[in-house]
Amino acid sequence: MAAAAAADEAWCRETVPRVMELVSPRLPQRDACALLAVSPWCHRALVANPKLWEVLDLHELKKAGDRLISALSLARYCHLKVVNLEFAQDIDDRHFLHLKEMGGIVLEELEFMNLNACQKISDKGIEAVTSLCPNLRALSIYWIVGSNRYTFSCVRLKDASIGHIVKNCKQIMDLNLSGCKNISDKGMHLVADNYQGLRKLDITRCIKLTDDGFQEVLQQCSALESLNLYALSSLTDKVYTKIGYLANLMFLDLCGAQNLTDDGLACISRCGGLKYLNLTWCVRVTDVGVVAIAEGCRSLELLSLFGILGVTDACLEALSKSCSDGLTTLDVNGCTGIKRRSQDDLIQLFPRLCCFKVHS
């Protein structure tokens, strides 16, 4: 009996840690947390793996606020790099304020925080949480409400939130403000003045923005690689022409840009590295603008012309000459000026095409 007990002890002491070292990197964090309670040996082996505790994933969980406070009180999360609270339930300003008041909690290594759909957070919560994360590089506060359809209603956050972000987090390179309807030109001026190194910006449905505010971003944030302007119908060519100066731009979503003309699109065609371009419902665009894009943006992989009545087969011909080597996704649904084609015909024009939508 003594020999068997000694063998079990040796197996737990020597084999379990080695097994956990191999298995834990492949486990979802929630499974790893469940294994903590299996035995003291599992607990020690898992806690000793710092890579496993660089991510705190509480998305969609209930009582997320209390869970967050409990987790950040544990030493194993001292090297945390990612916090995901997307669609987390039961979390609001008081949880972030409590963390700030606790003292001693500073997430020096945190790089990414996702607060999407945390609908009870206001400017106060943003001030508290960003004060804990001085080296944050990516922040997402994209709010979605409604059970069966997406609507954008981040009405609790105002320009004050942008003020807190730029004051507390100097290293931001990726900022998602999608649906923040109360962010105005003042907020955009703060972004422009403080984040010249910004790489990604999503201001979908930030409907208070005008040319004045966004021009500042384009002038000062010249390193932008991804720009999402979905459903910003108030902007004009005064802004769109300046997008052409973004030499590193690869992703551009202009869906619903009702004031975009061929002149603006011709300027955008200077972005030679552009890979993704969404022109859905850009109703003033014609063949002239799309041909300019075809000739200037030869690295295109995705292009949507959905719902544009002013384009014809001429733009497809231009695209087939200049972009056929890279274009894999093309949407011309609702483009009544483009004749209906079979799959084989489209493949002849665009050999790499794997996703396409044409009107029927």
Side-chain angles (χ1 to χ4, degrees):
M1 291 290 290
D8 288 343
E9 176 75 12
W11 188 87
C12 289
R13 184 176 62 254
E14 298 171 7
T15 305
V16 168
R18 289 201 296 269
V19 171
M20 288 297 102
E21 184 178 357
L22 292 171
V23 172
S24 60
R26 297 172 175 81
L27 290 175
Q29 190 182 61
R30 295 179 189 182
D31 292 341
C33 288
L35 285 174
L36 288 171
V38 169
S39 73
W41 302 105
C42 281
H43 188 281
R44 290 172 192 168
L46 289 169
V47 169
N49 183 353
K51 288 287 184 182
L52 195 59
W53 312 109
E54 291 180 351
V55 176
L56 179 57
D57 185 2
L58 301 176
H59 81 278
E60 298 181 354
L61 288 183
K62 295 180 178 179
K63 299 183 179 179
D66 293 337
R67 291 172 185 262
L68 178 66
I69 292 172
S70 297
L72 295 185
S73 301
L74 300 173
R76 65 172 178 263
Y77 285 108
C78 64
H79 298 295
L80 198 59
K81 292 185 177 180
V82 175
V83 171
N84 185 2
L85 293 167
E86 186 169 35
F87 289 100
Q89 301 176 43
D90 310 311
I91 185 167
D92 54 47
D93 289 348
R94 62 190 170 91
H95 296 101
F96 293 135
L97 291 168
H98 179 70
L99 285 170
K100 183 179 179 180
E101 292 165 0
M102 284 172 63
I105 294 180
V106 180
L107 306 175
E108 292 278 1
E109 298 180 35
L110 193 70
E111 296 179 355
F112 174 71
M113 177 167 286
N114 186 339
L115 300 176
N116 295 348
C118 294
Q119 297 171 34
K120 294 182 180 180
I121 296 174
S122 71
D123 294 335
K124 289 182 179 179
I126 294 296
E127 190 281 329
V129 71
T130 55
S131 70
L132 303 174
C133 316
N135 297 309
L136 204 62
R137 297 175 70 82
L139 176 63
S140 185
I141 48 178
Y142 170 24
W143 290 31
I144 305 173
V145 297
S147 56
N148 296 320
R149 61 192 179 94
Y150 290 105
T151 57
F152 303 84
S153 184
C154 187
V155 296
R156 291 168 64 90
L157 299 187
K158 304 177 180 66
D159 290 329
S161 283
I162 305 299
H164 299 317
I165 293 167
V166 301
K167 177 184 177 182
N168 296 326
C169 307
K170 306 295 186 182
Q171 311 298 325
I172 293 287
M173 299 180 69
D174 182 345
L175 187 58
N176 186 341
L177 302 174
S178 178
C180 294
K181 292 184 177 182
N182 281 330
I183 301 297
S184 72
D185 289 343
K186 179 181 178 182
M188 282 300 99
H189 282 285
L190 289 171
V191 170
D193 291 340
N194 290 275
Y195 295 140
Q196 281 80 22
L198 198 65
R199 296 290 191 271
K200 295 182 179 181
L201 178 63
D202 188 337
I203 49 175
T204 293
R205 285 288 182 98
C206 293
I207 56 176
K208 287 189 175 181
L209 299 184
T210 70
D211 287 348
D212 177 66
F214 194 59
Q215 277 188 108
E216 287 296 314
V217 172
L218 295 176
Q219 289 170 3
Q220 298 195 57
C221 304
S222 58
L224 278 166
E225 298 172 359
S226 176
L227 190 54
N228 196 324
L229 307 180
Y230 181 98
L232 292 184
S233 58
S234 62
L235 300 182
T236 72
D237 272 353
K238 191 175 181 180
V239 158
Y240 299 131
T241 53
K242 288 182 171 57
I243 291 177
Y245 295 106
L246 300 177
N248 300 323
L249 196 65
M250 291 186 288
F251 178 104
L252 180 60
D253 191 335
L254 295 173
C255 178
Q258 298 177 14
N259 297 318
L260 174 66
T261 71
D262 291 332
D263 291 338
L265 206 52
C267 293
I268 291 171
S269 71
R270 298 172 188 159
C271 302
L274 203 61
K275 295 180 181 294
Y276 177 109
L277 179 58
N278 185 358
L279 298 176
T280 295
W281 298 118
C282 293
V283 293
R284 299 181 66 183
V285 167
T286 72
D287 285 336
V288 174
V290 180
V291 169
I293 289 292
E295 294 173 349
C297 305
R298 300 188 174 218
S299 299
L300 270 183
E301 296 176 6
L302 181 149
L303 176 64
S304 176
L305 304 174
F306 184 100
I308 302 179
L309 302 181
V311 295
T312 70
D313 289 335
C315 75
L316 283 194
E317 293 173 9
L319 288 165
S320 68
K321 291 176 182 178
S322 303
C323 304
S324 61
D325 289 341
L327 203 61
T328 59
T329 303
L330 178 63
D331 188 347
V332 294
N333 194 24
C335 301
T336 55
I338 295 177
K339 70 179 183 181
R340 185 172 59 183
R341 284 176 167 80
S342 67
Q343 178 175 339
D344 290 340
D345 289 340
L346 280 169
I347 292 298
Q348 287 182 0
L349 288 173
F350 306 102
R352 297 194 61 195
L353 208 63
C354 59
C355 180
F356 51 87
K357 297 179 182 178
V358 294
H359 65 87
S360 55

